[in-house]
Amino acid sequence: MFSAFLAAGHIKRARSIYTKAMVMWLIVAAAVTILGLACLDPLVAGLGGAGELQQGVTDYVKWVLVLAVSYMGECFYASMLRNDNAPRLAMAGTLLSCSLNIFLDVFFIYVLEWKMAGAAHATSLAVTSTVILGLLASLRPQSNLKICRQGGRIQDIVSIIKVGMSNFLTEIDGGIVTFAYNTVLIQIGGANATALIAV
């Protein structure tokens, strides 16, 4: 929608879509963080965090939930930068995140010996770097990723949800399959079975 309005020369409408999408991202991220932390124990159990794996999985999931805004923000800015005629910046954000994740994994897990909490910190900081890059990119004079206070249109929000629904269903499908798979594995072989499959 953003790129379609840009191509048609409707800059204010495009910026309005960006603003609405950003607000929706922040609201959904806050909801995921609050609900996830409130249901942390069943969530960890569903992901296979039982027995000796429980503490490691809890450490990882907790930090992913706390920084859900960054995980979602990485996807948000990767998409918005491409639509704002800045595909190189979008690619740079992906490369920055991947490279930083590899370096920080080694540093946090092996040097500082933070185990699963270190892995969570590494990934969380890596995706946060992409969000920071996206925010800085939006400050460029030629960028159309600007906050616009144009009157809200409910139909715009509905359209944003429709456009993003296929990607959302793809992502949520992977999560549901993981929950079901881990539940069956725990029933069959306990925590060791989920660890063995993960390796």
Side-chain angles (χ1 to χ4, degrees):
M1 290 176 62
F2 174 83
S3 55
F5 283 125
L6 272 187
H10 302 306
I11 305 300
K12 282 191 176 180
R13 285 297 307 279
R15 291 179 175 179
S16 174
I17 293 297
Y18 166 72
T19 304
K20 290 181 181 79
M22 176 183 270
V23 170
M24 290 171 67
W25 151 44
L26 295 173
I27 289 171
V28 170
V32 166
T33 298
I34 293 166
L35 291 173
L37 291 175
C39 303
L40 185 60
D41 291 339
L43 190 60
V44 167
L47 289 168
E52 61 270 25
L53 299 177
Q54 184 174 5
Q55 187 58 51
V57 176
T58 300
D59 290 342
Y60 192 91
V61 172
K62 182 174 67 177
W63 281 106
V64 168
L65 289 171
V66 167
L67 289 170
V69 68
S70 293
Y71 285 88
M72 294 181 191
E74 180 189 32
C75 297
F76 176 78
Y77 274 111
S79 175
M80 294 307 293
L81 285 171
R82 282 193 297 272
N83 290 323
D84 193 35
N85 297 316
R88 289 184 181 179
L89 279 175
M91 181 59 71
T94 301
L95 289 173
L96 174 66
S97 178
C98 292
S99 303
L100 199 56
N101 192 21
I102 293 168
F103 171 76
L104 291 177
D105 267 335
V106 172
F107 182 70
F108 289 151
I109 296 172
Y110 295 106
V111 177
L112 298 182
E113 298 182 356
W114 286 0
K115 300 179 182 176
M116 287 301 288
H121 278 84
T123 307
S124 300
L125 290 173
V127 295
T128 301
S129 71
T130 303
V131 176
I132 292 169
L133 179 68
L135 288 169
L136 292 175
S138 71
L139 300 177
R140 297 171 304 136
Q142 68 269 35
S143 174
N144 285 298
L145 301 179
K146 309 288 185 194
I147 301 297
C148 176
R149 297 187 182 186
Q150 190 178 38
R153 297 183 182 186
I154 297 298
Q155 63 205 43
D156 285 346
I157 294 171
V158 172
S159 295
I160 290 169
I161 292 170
K162 284 181 180 178
V163 169
M165 187 57 70
S166 62
N167 195 31
F168 170 76
L169 291 175
T170 301
E171 295 293 333
I172 202 73
D173 174 61
I176 291 170
V177 168
T178 300
F179 270 107
Y181 200 64
N182 285 340
T183 301
V184 171
L185 285 174
I186 289 170
Q187 289 173 351
I188 293 172
N192 289 334
T194 58
L196 181 62
I197 293 298
V199 172

